[in-house]
Amino acid sequence: MKKFLASLAIGFGLLLGGTAAMAQTAPAADVKVTAPAAAPAAAPAAEAAAPAPVPNKGDTAFMTIATVLVILMTIPGLALFYGGLVRSKNMLSVLMQVFVVSSLIYVLWVIYGYSVAFTGGSPFFGGFDKLFFQGITPDSVGATFSKGVVIPEFTFAAFQATFAAITCALIVGAFAERVRFSAVLLFCAIWFTFSYLPVAHMVWYWDGPDAITDAASLETVTAAAGWLWAKGALDFAGGTVVHINAAVAGLVGAYVIGKRVGYGKESMAPHSLTLTMVGASLLWVGWFGFNAGSNLEANGVAALAFVNTLVATAAATLAWIAGEALAKGKASMLGAASGAVAGLVAITPACGFVGPMGAIVIGAAGGLFGLWGVNGLKRLLGADDSLDVFGVHGVCGIVGALLTGVFAAPSLGGTGVFDYVANAASADYSIGGQVLIQLEAVVTTIIWSAVVSFIAFKLVDLVVGLRVTEEEEREGLDISSHGETAYHR
């Protein structure tokens, strides 16, 4: 116990002391992105006569429910989905990891995470102005994507906290059944600080639409925004920030920690596809809050994101089981559940930018590429990614991010890019140009997460050790790590 507490103390010391400001460089671009920074409660001085915007009760209620739905995705949704996929002797260990990692990240989010992700500082990191939620009151407001429309800043901060928590919880599936509990917590704390927060800042931070009135103000907002926001990357709800980011960390962990004892020689089949199906269903339901809520207000774009989440997931489920039936002769429940998650991942970056037919194509592509990711690609990579975190979240996140650039085009039924100077959709949209921007965001996220993850895993291994002993692994982590079992026979 003393060793565990000491390791956490060392980890928190590293976290709170390690973030440094970086030089600010940001080219101009007309873009609409997923999550704005908190906006000032008062109107600009030039518009002092105009009343300050106040939150609409409907938008606030909508965002509160969306936040609850994302919590539902994580606990119990993701926990049950993962728990059903492992062997019965490790069921509680997975539930425990998802539950406690989420709890840890919620606390770190208030202490420093929100400030580093969603305040100004540099193109890569925010500042420390809102450590411990300093300065945020019930009257503080955050910007949405509509001028003059705001929500309570507490609501925005809580919603974003749920994204941070599920992202870190996703990672644990890649090295399930063999990792120390203390190592999971210490790794997630370090990775959250140096990978999740910077990527979220790079993709989602800006000053909000009310700060843009003309070309000069757009240039000012762009110069102060996150690095990938400024380049014009489109990520409505977290294709890069959440799924690719987490999947790369999981894959690196699978390589560094090594394969499970008996991998490839012993049966490691899921112990309860019933629970996996329940978990996948809760993920699908919760994902409506994840995607529609990322619009930050209850309007037609939120409705579009909702519809796209519905049909893309359905299309991916059908595509996955069709491919499975063609390849193996039978469609499986595991395939249907995995296909649904693949579709949810693929549509995440695109859900507010594409039309329903584009969503169906993206979902179907996610289903087919995800099926390849957990079979052919997994064999090529040679890693023991226990619950196929990279095969689904990584592959489908990349597919979705790139196809966002294609199907966001107005000519293909998308919304295009909103011009806050003209207050209308931009007349100019280049599919090729946007896909290249999307590719840059994908590559940046992969490299950033991979480097941070490798360093973090090595550091954790030095401090507390990554793996349990072979004896403990064979006994099962439920007993060896937590002293309890999921089932009593």
Side-chain angles (χ1 to χ4, degrees):
M1 184 64 182
K2 290 181 179 179
K3 184 177 180 181
F4 173 63
L5 293 175
S7 68
L8 282 184
I10 294 170
F12 283 120
L14 289 169
L15 302 174
L16 295 175
T19 305
M22 300 180 70
Q24 185 172 7
T25 57
D30 269 352
V31 291
K32 176 183 176 183
V33 292
T34 308
E47 301 174 6
V54 296
N56 176 278
K57 290 183 179 179
D59 289 334
T60 303
F62 167 72
M63 288 304 302
T64 301
I65 296 302
T67 303
V68 171
L69 286 172
V70 182
I71 296 171
L72 179 75
M73 287 174 63
T74 316
I75 45 177
L78 180 66
L80 290 177
F81 181 77
Y82 276 177
L85 292 173
V86 298
R87 290 167 289 180
S88 60
K89 63 183 180 180
N90 296 308
M91 172 65 168
L92 285 183
S93 71
V94 172
L95 299 184
M96 183 75 168
Q97 288 169 19
V98 172
F99 199 95
V100 178
V101 163
S102 299
S103 302
L104 172 65
I105 299 305
Y106 290 143
V107 173
L108 295 182
W109 186 255
V110 174
I111 295 172
Y112 64 91
Y114 177 66
S115 186
V116 173
F118 289 107
T119 63
S122 80
F124 303 96
F125 292 91
F128 301 112
D129 295 342
K130 295 188 177 180
L131 294 179
F132 308 102
F133 275 15
Q134 180 180 355
I136 304 177
T137 72
D139 296 323
S140 302
V141 296
T144 64
F145 295 113
S146 301
K147 292 184 176 181
V149 179
V150 295
I151 58 175
E153 188 172 1
F154 274 132
T155 298
F156 175 72
F159 182 67
Q160 289 298 334
T162 63
F163 278 59
I166 196 170
T167 304
C168 294
L170 284 171
I171 300 171
V172 306
F175 40 76
E177 302 193 302
R178 60 197 186 274
V179 68
R180 290 179 183 271
F181 181 60
S182 57
V184 171
L185 297 184
L186 183 55
F187 169 79
C188 285
I190 296 171
W191 184 87
F192 162 76
T193 304
F194 296 106
S195 189
Y196 181 83
L197 296 180
V199 174
H201 183 83
M202 283 190 280
V203 175
W204 285 339
Y205 177 74
W206 65 314
D207 289 331
D210 291 302
I212 302 172
T213 56
D214 53 28
S217 60
L218 172 62
E219 186 174 346
T220 300
V221 168
T222 303
W227 189 61
L228 291 170
W229 191 100
K231 289 181 174 294
L234 301 177
D235 188 349
F236 196 84
T240 51
V241 178
V242 175
H243 298 292
I244 299 173
N245 206 4
V248 170
L251 182 62
V252 171
Y255 280 123
V256 174
I257 296 171
K259 298 177 181 180
R260 287 168 287 181
V261 173
Y263 180 72
K265 300 175 183 178
E266 302 172 9
S267 174
M268 296 184 178
H271 89 277
S272 177
L273 289 177
T274 302
L275 289 177
T276 294
M277 185 272 173
V278 172
S281 301
L282 289 169
L283 282 168
W284 194 349
V285 172
W287 223 292
F288 290 110
F290 195 85
N291 284 355
S294 290
N295 190 56
L296 303 180
E297 53 182 310
N299 61 17
V301 179
L304 175 66
F306 190 102
V307 169
N308 287 342
T309 303
L310 182 68
V311 298
T313 309
T317 301
L318 296 173
W320 187 299
I321 63 171
E324 193 176 48
L326 289 172
K328 301 178 181 179
K330 293 180 181 179
S332 69
M333 182 66 251
L334 176 59
S338 300
V341 175
L344 290 165
V345 171
I347 198 57
T348 291
C351 58
F353 297 124
V354 305
M357 290 308 301
I360 289 174
V361 175
I362 291 173
L368 293 175
F369 276 98
L371 178 61
W372 170 73
V374 305
N375 289 290
L377 180 61
K378 187 173 185 177
R379 287 192 293 271
L380 289 174
L381 294 175
D384 179 13
D385 179 354
S386 306
L387 308 183
D388 295 314
V389 177
F390 187 80
V392 174
H393 295 272
V395 171
C396 298
I398 293 169
V399 169
L402 297 179
L403 291 182
T404 299
V406 176
F407 290 101
S411 60
L412 296 176
T415 63
V417 174
F418 197 81
D419 182 345
Y420 283 103
V421 175
N423 293 316
S426 175
D428 301 321
Y429 188 93
S430 166
I431 292 176
Q434 189 61 48
V435 169
L436 287 176
I437 294 171
Q438 298 299 106
L439 179 61
E440 186 171 4
V442 167
V443 172
T444 299
T445 304
I446 290 172
I447 294 173
W448 191 290
S449 184
V451 172
V452 171
S453 299
F454 183 79
I455 294 172
F457 279 119
K458 289 297 185 181
L459 180 61
V460 171
D461 197 24
L462 288 173
V463 176
V464 297
L466 285 169
R467 284 193 78 132
V468 298
T469 65
E470 181 176 343
E471 181 182 353
E472 290 171 328
E473 186 175 339
R474 289 195 178 279
E475 182 181 23
L477 301 190
D478 289 1
I479 290 291
S480 64
S481 295
H482 305 293
E484 53 190 351
T485 60
Y487 308 103
H488 296 280
R489 293 182 175 86

